[in-house]
Amino acid sequence: MEEYIQNLRKKIGHDPVILNYAGCVFFTDDGKLVLQKRSDCGEWGFFGGLAELGESLEEAAVREVREESGYDVEITSLYGIYSKYFVTYANQDKVQTVCTLFRAKIVGGTPVCSNSETREIGYFDLSHPPKMFCKQHQDILEDLISGREYIYR
């Protein structure tokens, strides 16, 4: 995927592009929300990332959770689509992020608490959630707390 983005950026420079992300909302058996403390900024967020060329959003979400957490998850439903969010990265690349978020359940795996993308895995009660690293993830959390589903923003 990195090569795809690099080739695209060679053609368009830092101009805005739409990038498709996929992620998951999932809980432990005792009802704790599972989140990652991100290695890039040291703040909390949902597991997910860029869909790779030729990959479905469901496949991307499951892969990203496995890569970032060590958990194997099974998608149970669509949670929402968060599409009107804009980011300028440190290198000045501009993107509109479109995140398709799925509900999932843990079906296996072993938690990996530290890797290149995840500094820590946290387990939170929805009544005491952490501050999220960006507006998109904060909106997702607020929708989750309020009980909303099938969101499109």
Side-chain angles (χ1 to χ4, degrees):
M1 176 49 91
E2 192 172 312
E3 184 179 320
Y4 169 76
I5 298 296
Q6 288 173 348
N7 287 337
L8 184 62
R9 285 295 177 194
K10 284 178 189 174
K11 294 174 183 172
I12 65 162
H14 299 296
D15 288 351
V17 296
I18 296 173
L19 294 179
N20 289 299
Y21 291 81
C24 289
V25 170
F26 61 99
F27 295 83
T28 60
D29 287 340
D30 63 350
K32 301 289 185 188
L33 176 64
V34 185
L35 297 172
Q36 74 172 153
K37 184 174 270 189
R38 297 169 55 99
S39 293
D40 60 356
C41 65
E43 296 184 59
W44 294 101
F46 292 93
F47 293 96
L50 275 169
E52 295 181 359
L53 199 58
E55 183 177 51
S56 74
L57 293 172
E58 177 185 12
E59 292 166 336
V62 169
R63 175 185 50 77
E64 286 288 342
V65 169
R66 186 179 313 109
E67 288 175 2
E68 295 174 353
S69 73
Y71 282 118
D72 293 319
V73 296
E74 178 181 296
I75 301 297
T76 58
S77 67
L78 176 65
Y79 179 73
I81 299 172
Y82 293 79
S83 60
K84 198 170 182 180
Y85 298 85
F86 302 89
V87 176
T88 300
Y89 291 109
N91 67 358
Q92 299 309 306
D93 286 353
K94 294 173 180 59
V95 302
Q96 178 178 354
T97 62
V98 177
C99 182
T100 300
L101 203 64
F102 297 95
R103 278 196 179 272
K105 65 179 181 177
I106 299 170
V107 295
T110 303
V112 177
C113 294
S114 183
N115 59 43
S116 64
E117 296 183 83
T118 304
R119 184 181 295 175
E120 180 183 342
I121 296 175
Y123 304 89
F124 298 91
D125 187 296
L126 285 181
S127 64
H128 295 93
K131 179 181 179 287
M132 303 304 266
F133 85 99
C134 70
K135 172 89 169 113
Q136 186 178 53
H137 285 232
Q138 190 63 43
D139 286 350
I140 294 166
L141 179 62
E142 289 171 11
D143 288 338
L144 191 61
I145 290 168
S146 71
R148 293 185 67 205
E149 282 194 87
Y150 311 112
I151 295 119
Y152 44 94
R153 286 184 187 238

